Amino acid sequence: LRVWLLAMVAAFSAALVLPGAVSAQQTGTVQGEVVDSRTGQPIQAAQVLIVGADLGALTDATGSYTIDGVPAGEQEVRVELLGYRTTSETVQVEAGATVTADFELAQEAVGLEELVVTGTPEAVRRVELGQALSRLDAERIRELAPITTATQTIQSRSAGVTVLGRSGMVGAGSNIRIRGLSSLALGNNPLIYVDGVRVDNREGSGPRWTGAGTPSRLDDIPPEDIQSIEIIKGPAAATLYGTEATNGVIQIITRRGEAGAAPTINMTVTQGANWFRNAAERIGNIYHREEDGTVVSMNLVEEEEAAGRSVFRTGHTQGYVLNLRGGADALGYSVTAEFDDQEGYIPGNARSRLATRGNLDFQVRDNLDVVASFGYTRNDIDLVPEGSSPNFGIMPNLFFGTPTLRDTGTRGFQRAPPEAIRTIELNSEVDRITTSIETRFRPFGWLSSRLVVGTDVVNETNSSLYPRQPEGSNHFFGGRGMGEVNIDDQRTRNHTFDLSTSARFDLTPTITSTTSGGFQFYGRQSAGTRSYGREFPAVGVRTVSAAATTSGEQDFVENNTVGGYIQQQFGFNDRLFIPGALRGDDNSAFGERFDAALYPKVSGSWLLSAEPFFDVPGVDELRLRAAWGQSGMQPDAFAAIRLYEPITGPGGVATVTPGAIGNPDLGPEVGEELELGLDGSFLNDAISVAFTAYDQRTRDAILSESVAPSSGFAGQRFVNVGEIRNRGLELELDTRPVQTPGFGWDVGVVWSTNSNQVVDLGPDREFMGTTLQQREGYSMNSWFDRKVVQAEYDPALQRPVNIMCDGGTGPDGLRAGGEPVPCDEAPAVYRGRHGPGWEGNVNTTLRFGENLEFFTNVAVVGSFMKQSTTRHGRSWFFQNTRERTLMEETDPIVLAEIMAPHQGGVPHIFFLEDASFVRWREASMTYRIPEQYVNRFLGASRASLNISARNLGLWTDYSYPEVEVGGTTEQTIAPFPTELIFRLRVTL
């Protein structure tokens, strides 16, 4: 028996060992390196396959790969990576030997084969989409540009996407608008997703008295977490997102690992500085005319500097990022930890962010994948007052100061010197957790399902403190010198449940059919408590409960959307694709008598260059596309509901009184859009173009109307009566004029136009507003004001005389260019639109060899007006400008606009100025340290040093030192800083 067992074991062992030995003698090894053909840099995570065999590998951080067990003989080796053209090479493999196959991958100019996930039931190739979609390679952008926030990753990089910064303070957010403004009463924010989960997209959170420098929740997301960003720009592309999506969708895809990839450790160290460039010159002097006619002036910035009390400082920027990426056979992982700290150039302004993120991709079975993501951010922002909040900030005190106060305690500042202002504390503390689990299940080859479940939780505490001063109300702050504190705790939850299923069939050898259906639930809850205290009993006391006067309030708002859709797509010869879809939504904010909203869409994509009859020299790829669709925007949570307000009734008994009447028929605003476009690459990818024309309408726009007193309710109610139209063109052009092994030159152009019009404001109403109006036939937020066209200065009276204004022309009499008339008879004529009518961006990259690269980015924005409230306030109220003080040297027309009515000026005139500008936004130099030095001195596989700068120059006729901040106006808002950043990246 023992002999028999030993024989069986020997036979079984031979069966296992001998074939492997024989196989080893009949196989060889293929190895090599994969690099970028343009830069010569190694490419990580490229997939290298042996065609016809179940063999492959992923390249590591050095671009190297090794495939063992390749059958001897002639083999085709193929390399694939999204964003690059697939490349293959035939090699002769000899048994027991190693053959080398190196590859240079060329970037795919148009990227029609890359997979996208935004606005689709499942990941699909871009070529199958009929709508425009911008995809930003965030890792490449960070490699070149001085990126410190998620918003900066988007700014000036996608046609039709406008990013307007609100303030130059560190931690201040931005407004993002896609294809103009589409709502009069609701928000114009795009939806924001992170890994398929809808997240908080608020733009105006933050403490009281901050001014325009409120944080943006988008900037809670560390830019180093982002792998790519996908942007769909209007209703035609956003139909599957339904209600709330009419303003477009931004999908952020975070860093991922790669199954089978060797682990790599990526470290990034950032050091930098920011400052107010040419502060003394750009802020300028303040003036005053004495009674004897003597004109005195002073430059507060220079005088404080000379006294050793600098108003501004050089802010320090530092950041540290550690990322581990890699994978096993069925596992990909990425773990990131980040800390960054920024000081603003205004003392007291700073931001500190600590973040971590972990992503796990796991193949449970051949037909089941699970992707889990967890991100945590702690964001601590210290802000300072600015703007009109309430003139206790550094900027208003600089611009509104006067030389008459030079020898007082304010030293010429309007209300308080800088050291007093710095005692004010404005702080925003945010703890944010975003989690998601995505499951992809393929029970059959023709059927696939995707489920995304996730939550975004934001706990935000905003505090504003005026500390008790020893002088009490005799302090610079007046009554606030007794002490005042506001605490605002806000808790926001966003929940996502997104289930989709797709069935794909080959109806014929040339016709495919994909039928998709989905169910979605989006829920948002917002709960807040606010407490207020005033008059502290002693210095050092700072809590609400210790104040003499206290108050508080609490609120809770919940909004839920339930929707479903079905989509059918046909494909013909893998070059013509026609999808159509219908989505239905119900939202908790709809009126009780409003039925569920329906949003249809249809689109088409035709890869014309793949047709047999298409043979045009110089055309590599050419795709035509068209899309039409609808999506919506729900009303405010309580707009449709009849509300009653609590009051104290007779005898001290609690009772209620009518509040808002509500509207049970209130439904969503409906955005409808038609877009046409093409994508093409030409001359062997030397030129690539994406062009889109769109026509978008918002129907059933929500407006307010007066309530009849007989109803028992006062005030206004909301109704669906308006209509708005946006039209525009978008162009994204990339060219490679020179591409040689030793030198490369790339030029990119991003350009867009937007024509906006208020079509209908409902019955019996042609306009709303005063100077900034919504008027039928004109752009949203159009400026209307008197326009002085003639004036003379009378030295004896020391004021302008013989003032005449534009009498208006055109069918409505409101267009400029009419005959001059006395200003009290003149109409308020159209002066221009708020918000750019067109904008462009030019970027260029110069590459020298494999290691040195230069990049620069210039933005050009035009055709819009802003109200310079700072100039208006200085000249009209505080009268401290040169033009108001030295009237005899000032243009009489300008003088007539800035002087108060009783001094011979024109009533209701505001400074409306052309806000067009050119900004040198970014510049950088990137040096990739040669491999031999990286290995020898750092023990790493690769390293690079980047030196970059932001906001190097601004050219504009606008009078304020900064034209982009503040929105419709910029009353004493902090200008953007100039930034210089040094960044070292090392891969182990």
Side-chain angles (χ1 to χ4, degrees), residues 922-980:
E922 297 167 339
S924 74
M925 180 196 75
T926 302
Y927 178 67
R928 299 177 181 90
I929 303 172
E931 185 176 339
Q932 61 268 31
Y933 300 117
V934 173
N935 293 335
R936 181 184 306 172
F937 298 109
L938 298 177
S941 59
R942 57 180 173 176
S944 66
L945 176 65
N946 175 268
I947 304 173
S948 56
R950 175 178 291 274
N951 298 326
L952 295 111
L954 175 66
W955 296 269
T956 180
D957 291 332
Y958 196 71
S959 62
Y960 191 67
E962 181 57 69
V963 66
E964 284 194 88
V965 297
T968 57
T969 183
E970 48 24 49
Q971 182 167 327
T972 59
I973 302 299
F976 291 141
T978 297
E979 300 176 79
L980 181 64

Side-chain angles (χ1 to χ4, degrees), residues 633-657:
M633 176 63 67
Q634 87 280 8
D636 285 339
F638 299 109
I641 303 174
R642 180 164 296 187
L643 300 175
Y644 294 87
E645 298 176 358
I647 61 171
T648 302
V653 177
T655 185
V656 295
T657 187

Side-chain angles (χ1 to χ4, degrees), residues 179-200:
R179 293 181 175 174
L181 303 174
S182 59
S183 180
L184 292 162
L186 306 177
N188 286 278
N189 304 358
L191 290 178
I192 297 177
Y193 283 74
V194 175
D195 295 331
V197 173
R198 188 176 295 187
V199 301
D200 192 348

Side-chain angles (χ1 to χ4, degrees), residues 650-943:
V653 177
T655 185
V656 295
T657 187
I661 192 172
N663 179 3
D665 297 312
L666 192 64
E669 297 185 339
V670 178
E672 177 182 317
E673 183 180 58
L674 172 66
E675 68 170 45
L676 306 172
L678 63 84
D679 304 293
S681 63
F682 309 90
L683 303 177
N684 293 322
D685 286 340
I687 301 173
S688 64
V689 175
F691 175 78
T692 302
Y694 66 88
D695 189 341
Q696 179 189 121
R697 289 179 182 266
T698 300
R699 293 189 168 90
D700 295 330
I702 295 175
L703 298 170
S704 62
E705 67 175 12
S706 298
V707 176
S710 59
S711 67
F713 290 80
Q716 306 282 314
R717 73 165 185 165
F718 292 99
V719 292
N720 297 102
V721 294
E723 182 176 341
I724 301 155
R725 186 178 189 184
N726 281 281
R727 289 175 292 177
L729 305 174
E730 298 168 352
L731 174 68
E732 297 181 5
L733 172 68
D734 289 300
T735 65
R736 299 184 174 98
V738 180
Q739 292 296 318
T740 68
F743 177 72
W745 178 27
D746 297 351
V747 179
V749 176
V750 176
W751 175 79
S752 63
T753 68
N754 176 262
S755 175
N756 178 272
Q757 185 182 45
V758 177
V759 178
D760 189 3
L761 291 173
D764 304 321
R765 178 164 48 188
E766 294 182 358
F767 73 97
M768 300 185 302
T770 53
T771 303
L772 189 65
Q773 294 185 8
Q774 317 298 345
R775 181 179 286 271
E776 291 182 356
Y778 292 85
S779 296
M780 285 180 59
N781 293 337
S782 288
W783 295 107
F784 287 84
D785 204 355
R786 292 180 175 89
K787 182 179 181 180
V788 179
V789 294
Q790 294 179 12
E792 300 173 1
Y793 177 70
D794 189 326
L797 298 176
Q798 294 187 356
R799 64 179 177 85
V801 296
N802 301 326
I803 304 172
M804 303 288 282
C805 286
D806 193 317
T809 186
D812 57 4
L814 300 179
R815 299 287 179 176
E819 294 294 327
V821 298
C823 287
D824 57 0
E825 301 175 8
V829 297
Y830 173 69
R831 302 292 298 274
R833 59 177 280 173
H834 163 65
W838 59 267
E839 53 187 311
N841 177 268
V842 179
N843 63 81
T844 188
T845 305
L846 299 175
R847 174 180 54 83
F848 297 88
E850 297 182 357
N851 298 326
L852 186 60
E853 200 166 20
F854 292 91
F855 167 81
T856 191
N857 183 329
V858 177
V860 185
V861 182
S863 190
F864 73 113
M865 307 284 285
K866 287 186 67 168
Q867 178 186 357
S868 180
T869 318
T870 304
R871 184 183 178 195
H872 179 256
R874 293 185 66 195
S875 295
W876 192 343
F877 294 106
F878 298 101
Q879 301 180 19
N880 69 356
T881 60
R882 179 183 178 88
E883 59 190 3
R884 179 63 180 85
T885 306
L886 297 172
M887 294 182 289
E888 62 276 9
E889 298 180 8
T890 303
D891 183 342
I893 291 178
V894 174
L895 195 60
E897 292 185 340
I898 66 177
M899 293 187 67
H902 67 276
Q903 295 174 310
V906 181
H908 306 301
I909 288 286
F910 295 90
F911 277 113
L912 299 174
E913 302 181 3
D914 183 359
S916 303
F917 67 89
V918 176
R919 183 185 290 279
W920 188 3
R921 198 176 295 283
E922 297 167 339
S924 74
M925 180 196 75
T926 302
Y927 178 67
R928 299 177 181 90
I929 303 172
E931 185 176 339
Q932 61 268 31
Y933 300 117
V934 173
N935 293 335
R936 181 184 306 172
F937 298 109
L938 298 177
S941 59
R942 57 180 173 176

Side-chain angles (χ1 to χ4, degrees), residues 17-30:
V17 176
L18 291 178
V22 173
S23 177
Q25 294 175 359
Q26 297 175 349
T27 63
T29 299
V30 178

Side-chain angles (χ1 to χ4, degrees), residues 281-337:
E281 177 184 344
R282 293 168 67 189
I283 289 177
N285 288 13
I286 51 177
Y287 294 81
H288 175 71
R289 186 189 289 270
E290 304 285 359
E291 291 185 1
D292 62 1
T294 303
V295 175
V296 295
S297 68
M298 65 184 297
N299 189 297
L300 283 168
V301 175
E302 290 181 344
E303 294 198 11
E304 290 291 295
E305 181 75 29
R309 300 183 298 260
S310 296
V311 177
F312 305 114
R313 68 183 177 186
T314 298
H316 178 219
T317 296
Q318 59 179 327
Y320 309 92
V321 181
L322 182 65
N323 171 256
L324 172 64
R325 302 172 77 175
D329 290 341
L331 177 68
Y333 57 84
S334 174
V335 180
T336 304

